[in-house]
């Protein structure tokens, strides 16, 4: 279990690649999952990859990751801007957390500028498209290799 990285995705990200390609691109979430599994394997990690439109489900997966995950990557989607419950769940984790946003939330509407997650994340990656997930995997591998655990 120590070599497992969780990749969690919030609401509407199941539509990735199917709507609003001008903002989110044409890569689907299935493509992102395949890329994460391939790179995770190259880096020596198993990848647990999930998406849900339900806040409680994401919280349950965060709780599951408490049981020895090496790291957690999360794109909480719109819950980024609203969910104190996800903030609180992430705060209980001891492993590195990387927050990923496909778009640059700071160039968009004002309501996207604040994240309840950033203050409990080890690092954040925004505006790098779906490549941000792969950057996050490499960063967790780097933190694990350098012995930097958690925040
Ligand atoms: O840029 C990101 O990754 C976001 O987390 C995406 C969220 C948005 O609410 C955040 O502010 C920034 C939206 C996810 C919805 O994804 C869709 C993908 C394709 C088509 C429609 C929605």
């Amino acid at each position: 279990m120590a070599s497992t990285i969780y990749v969690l995705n919030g609401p509407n990200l199941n539509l990735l690649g199917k709507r609003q390609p001008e903002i989110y691109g044409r890569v689907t979430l299935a493509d992102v999952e395949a890329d994460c599994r391939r790179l995770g394997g190259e880096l020596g990690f198993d990848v647990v990859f999930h998406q849900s439109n339900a806040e409680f489900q994401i919280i349950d997966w965060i709780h599951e990751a408490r049981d020895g995950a090496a790291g957690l990557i999360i794109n909480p989607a719109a819950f980024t801007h609203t969910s104190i419950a996800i903030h609180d769940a992430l705060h209980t984790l001891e492993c590195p957390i990387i927050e990923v946003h496909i778009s640059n939330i700071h160039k968009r509407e004002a309501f996207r500028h604040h994240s309840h997650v950033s203050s409990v994340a080890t690092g954040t990656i925004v505006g790098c498209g779906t490549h941000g997930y792969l950057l996050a995997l490499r960063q967790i591998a780097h933190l694990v290799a350098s012995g930097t655990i958690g925040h």
Side-chain angles (χ1 to χ4, degrees):
M1 183 65 178
S3 59
T4 299
I5 296 176
Y6 276 66
V7 183
L8 303 183
N9 295 278
N12 299 309
L13 282 165
N14 52 309
L15 298 176
L16 197 64
K18 300 170 183 170
R19 300 268 191 289
Q20 296 182 264
E22 67 286 1
I23 299 176
Y24 300 113
R26 296 197 180 276
V27 174
T28 67
L29 198 63
D31 295 331
V32 175
E33 177 174 359
D35 287 348
C36 285
R37 289 193 188 287
R38 180 189 44 76
L39 179 60
E42 286 172 22
L43 295 170
F45 295 94
D46 292 329
V47 170
V48 171
F49 193 100
H50 292 305
Q51 184 275 332
S52 180
N53 297 324
E55 190 176 20
F56 79 89
Q57 179 63 81
I58 293 168
I59 292 164
D60 283 350
W61 287 327
I62 294 169
H63 291 174
E64 198 178 281
R66 294 179 71 240
D67 191 20
L72 182 138
I73 295 164
I74 184 163
N75 182 348
F79 290 149
T80 306
H81 319 295
T82 62
S83 180
I84 293 167
I86 289 177
H87 165 105
D88 287 348
L90 291 169
H91 199 46
T92 71
L93 283 182
E94 291 176 7
C95 64
I97 300 164
I98 307 295
E99 175 187 2
V100 170
H101 295 288
I102 298 164
S103 64
N104 182 350
I105 54 176
H106 304 291
K107 279 177 79 173
R108 300 183 63 191
E109 303 96 321
F111 64 81
R112 297 186 202 275
H113 295 177
H114 181 260
S115 166
H116 287 291
V117 169
S118 298
S119 62
V120 287
T122 312
T124 66
I125 296 170
V126 305
C128 296
T130 53
H131 188 61
Y133 289 84
L134 304 182
L135 296 172
L137 277 170
R138 288 192 184 280
Q139 177 63 8
I140 288 177
H142 166 74
L143 291 171
V144 170
S146 63
T148 311
I149 304 298
H151 309 264

